[in-house]
Amino acid sequence: MKNKFVQAHMKSARIYADLSHAARKKVGAVIVKDDRILSIGYNGMPADWDNCCEKTLWHYEGGHPLPLRPVLVTKPEVLHAETNAIAKLAASTESGKDATLFIYPYSPCMECAKLIYQSGISEVYFTEKYRNEDGLNFLKKTRVKVYQVYGLDDHHLAGSPRRLLVQN
């Protein structure tokens, strides 16, 4: 895929990530096939639920009883961006076979990687690795092509985009 299209679809995924109500991590996903966007998704609560994606837990600092420190923890009901995009695709008349998935910013977790593989998606682009690489390793094992994109936000002084560095 040409770099200008990789850049456009990654930027679209970033825009969808901004729609997430999550306070901790905002993730967006765009599924593309034959130069057409088939589906989009961002992380959030199931449809018709309260949009609060995190709960606050209180932790002691350094083993001392006071002061307590608030820590945001993602609720288990939150759907990942990839899951939302694939679910929307499954509800449509389109097929994910040989489609490309753009995720901003994180590579997929293991649960999403399994859905990506089962949906027939053949390529995945992302900008940052997820906290563990189980999902990436699974996709590589199943021969789904994975690419990390660098330089999405780099610009020349004149404002034209630089060539992206895409590595697999």
Side-chain angles (χ1 to χ4, degrees):
M1 183 176 293
K2 290 183 179 180
N3 274 342
K4 68 180 183 179
F5 292 114
V6 170
Q7 185 172 26
H9 296 312
M10 286 302 298
K11 286 184 176 184
S12 295
R14 183 176 59 201
I15 289 168
Y16 285 110
D18 287 339
L19 297 178
S20 173
H21 290 276
R24 287 184 60 239
K25 293 180 179 177
K26 294 178 180 288
V27 182
V30 175
I31 300 175
V32 175
K33 185 175 177 181
D34 300 328
D35 298 325
R36 291 183 308 118
I37 293 176
L38 300 183
S39 186
I40 62 92
Y42 50 88
N43 58 317
M45 296 298 283
D48 300 323
W49 285 42
D50 181 334
N51 282 326
C52 184
C53 296
E54 292 90 7
K55 59 185 173 185
T56 303
L57 298 181
W58 294 89
H59 288 278
Y60 296 111
E61 295 240 352
H64 298 289
L66 291 176
L68 289 174
R69 171 177 73 89
V71 176
L72 287 178
V73 177
T74 301
K75 293 179 180 177
E77 301 88 358
V78 168
L79 295 163
H80 289 190
E82 306 93 302
T83 301
N84 269 326
I86 292 169
K88 288 175 188 173
L89 179 63
S92 77
T93 59
E94 300 286 351
S95 167
K97 184 170 173 32
D98 297 323
T100 301
L101 174 63
F102 295 87
I103 311 165
Y104 183 88
Y106 302 108
S107 61
C109 69
M110 177 57 104
E111 292 304 310
C112 289
K114 291 187 284 188
L115 287 173
I116 290 165
Y117 172 70
Q118 285 297 109
S119 69
I121 291 170
S122 60
E123 294 182 319
V124 175
Y125 290 82
F126 63 93
T127 58
E128 296 177 34
K129 289 183 179 174
Y130 189 61
R131 66 178 171 242
N132 73 51
E133 296 184 29
D134 293 349
L136 279 178
N137 293 334
F138 174 83
L139 290 175
K140 290 174 185 177
K141 184 177 178 181
T142 60
R143 294 191 174 88
V144 172
K145 296 175 186 167
V146 294
Y147 303 97
Q148 187 167 5
V149 177
Y150 298 91
L152 184 63
D153 298 313
D154 293 345
H155 296 278
H156 289 291
L157 293 176
S160 61
R162 284 188 185 164
R163 186 164 176 82
L164 296 178
L165 175 61
V166 179
Q167 292 184 327
N168 59 354

